Amino acid sequence: MTEQPPQLTGVVAYINLEGAAEASALYQRALGARELVRMPYKDEDGRLIHCHLEINGGNLMISDFFPEHGFDPEKPQGYTLHLQVPDVDAAWARAVEAGFEVVMPIQLMFWGDRYGQLKDKFGVRWSLATTPKA
């Protein structure tokens, strides 16, 4: 499971969740994520202090909350994680089957993409889109 992670550049989302190990498993099922690094914390709760995922060629870092270290639980708000995929219908069906909730159904948008939004059980909002071939 742990492999040499890629050299990171640009902006990489790092989100805290209650249940990072469960989120990693969900993102693997729903989004085809690969877990590159998993660092468990030294407690009986099974919390992860760090988890590095690769999703659709991009990187996502997740960890549990650690109130004892100043990282109190907060509800996700004000952001959407976006995946530009070759086949939005297939990616969408996989995510919905894994339990993601539809927020905005897939539709043809004014900028040309077929686009929709989902929310996972952790409250994280995801958008998926495909640019149709001309």
Side-chain angles (χ1 to χ4, degrees):
M1 192 166 313
T2 299
E3 61 182 68
Q4 184 65 26
Q7 180 67 38
L8 298 176
T9 60
V11 176
V12 176
Y14 201 122
I15 59 176
N16 303 102
L17 307 161
E18 284 198 57
E22 185 182 355
S24 176
L26 175 63
Y27 298 161
Q28 290 174 61
R29 279 191 322 278
L31 304 171
R34 286 187 324 125
E35 189 174 274
L36 303 180
V37 176
R38 174 183 281 239
M39 298 173 71
Y41 190 64
K42 56 183 187 286
D43 65 8
E44 297 80 39
D45 296 332
R47 294 182 299 170
L48 299 181
I49 196 156
H50 176 72
C51 185
H52 181 164
L53 301 170
E54 187 262 344
I55 304 174
N56 194 38
N59 295 280
L60 175 65
M61 313 266 189
I62 61 176
S63 74
D64 281 283
F65 292 107
F66 288 88
E68 67 272 32
H69 297 293
F71 296 99
D72 294 325
E74 296 178 30
K75 289 186 177 183
Q77 60 184 4
Y79 68 89
T80 301
L81 300 178
H82 179 74
L83 292 173
Q84 193 74 22
V85 295
D87 182 350
V88 72
D89 296 297
W92 186 271
R94 183 177 181 172
V96 168
E97 183 167 316
F100 282 42
E101 171 192 338
V102 175
V103 174
M104 175 193 297
I106 297 172
Q107 55 193 291
L108 184 58
M109 301 304 285
F110 66 89
W111 62 85
D113 283 358
R114 293 193 64 243
Y115 174 95
Q117 291 187 4
L118 302 163
K119 187 172 10 173
D120 68 32
K121 69 177 278 176
F122 303 97
V124 177
R125 189 179 291 248
W126 296 83
S127 60
L128 282 72
T130 294
T131 304
K133 294 186 168 117

